């Protein structure tokens, strides 16, 4: 079950378990618009989440995470689509993100772009995993070209 929430802090443990570079001590993302979470209908356990923020007038897809045992079942796609639909309803011209797995986001129409063009600061280059197993990229989706494709 997909549900909208503003309880970002309740999602942090999931983000950490999923391997995102987030710490429980990090503050709530600036410009948080909404989060989406996925629950197992049988036991009520949260197993996926994502968020949408506004940074310097641009929409940013943040923190897409799915618990390992639920990966490969289309849940990540569901979370990305929920954020894309929300951004489209809000009139976004572009949607930005930092991707640990750029190939996943390419199927939605996202394209790699230079980091300096991002409306947010990415800490990837400071991370010890960068180029040591993590090849994260800043990506952008031109919403005008992708209307109806989500």
């Amino acid at each position: 079950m997909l549900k909208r929430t503003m309880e970002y802090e309740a999602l942090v443990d999931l983000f950490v378990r999923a391997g995102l570079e987030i710490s429980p001590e990090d503050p709530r993302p600036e410009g948080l618009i909404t989060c989406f979470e996925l629950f197992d209908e049988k036991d009520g356990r949260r197993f996926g989440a994502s968020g949408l923020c506004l940074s310097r007038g641009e929409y940013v897809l943040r923190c897409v995470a799915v618990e390992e045992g639920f990966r490969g079942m289309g849940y990540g796609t569901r979370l990305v689509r929920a954020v894309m639909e929300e951004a489209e309803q809000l009139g976004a011209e572009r949607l930005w993100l930092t991707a640990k797995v750029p190939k996943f986001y390419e199927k939605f129409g996202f394209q790699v772009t230079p980091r300096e063009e991002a409306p947010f600061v990415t800490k990837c280059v400071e991370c010890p995993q960068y180029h040591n197993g993590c090849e994260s990229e800043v990506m952008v989706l031109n919403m005008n070209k992708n209307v109806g494709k989500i």
Side-chain angles (χ1 to χ4, degrees):
M1 169 178 22
L2 181 69
K3 178 181 156 189
R4 182 185 307 265
T5 182
M6 285 302 290
E7 295 179 23
Y8 172 82
E9 293 76 11
L11 307 175
V12 171
D13 285 343
L14 169 65
F15 295 146
V16 171
R17 285 193 311 274
L20 300 182
E21 284 75 30
I22 293 175
S23 168
E25 294 82 35
D26 290 345
R28 171 186 281 249
E30 283 188 43
L32 183 66
I33 295 171
T34 193
C35 294
F36 294 93
E37 54 189 340
L38 285 167
F39 286 93
D40 185 323
E41 292 184 24
K42 294 175 187 164
D43 64 13
R45 189 178 118 193
R46 181 185 301 115
F47 64 87
S50 62
L52 177 65
C53 295
L54 187 63
S55 179
R56 298 181 186 162
E58 295 280 351
Y59 292 89
V60 181
L61 169 60
R62 297 264 326 226
C63 306
V64 176
V66 176
E67 293 270 8
E68 194 166 330
F70 291 86
R71 293 180 187 163
M73 300 178 194
Y75 294 119
T77 296
R78 227 172 132 188
L79 289 165
V80 171
R81 284 189 176 148
V83 171
M84 289 173 65
E85 289 169 4
E86 182 75 11
E88 184 178 1
Q89 289 174 6
L90 292 170
E93 292 180 24
R94 288 170 297 280
L95 182 60
W96 296 81
L97 60 84
T98 302
K100 288 179 84 169
V101 185
K103 289 276 185 218
F104 173 74
Y105 295 98
E106 287 175 358
K107 68 183 178 185
F108 300 100
F110 284 90
Q111 298 178 331
V112 173
T113 191
R115 290 180 190 283
E116 58 272 7
E117 291 182 18
F120 53 88
V121 176
T122 175
K123 298 178 185 175
C124 291
V125 293
E126 300 168 11
C127 179
Q129 294 181 33
Y130 186 61
H131 290 307
N132 287 313
C134 179
E135 301 302 321
S136 68
E137 296 283 359
V138 170
M139 301 182 81
V140 65
L141 172 70
N142 183 335
M143 299 293 285
N144 298 328
K145 291 182 181 179
N146 288 282
V147 172
K149 292 185 181 180
I150 56 175

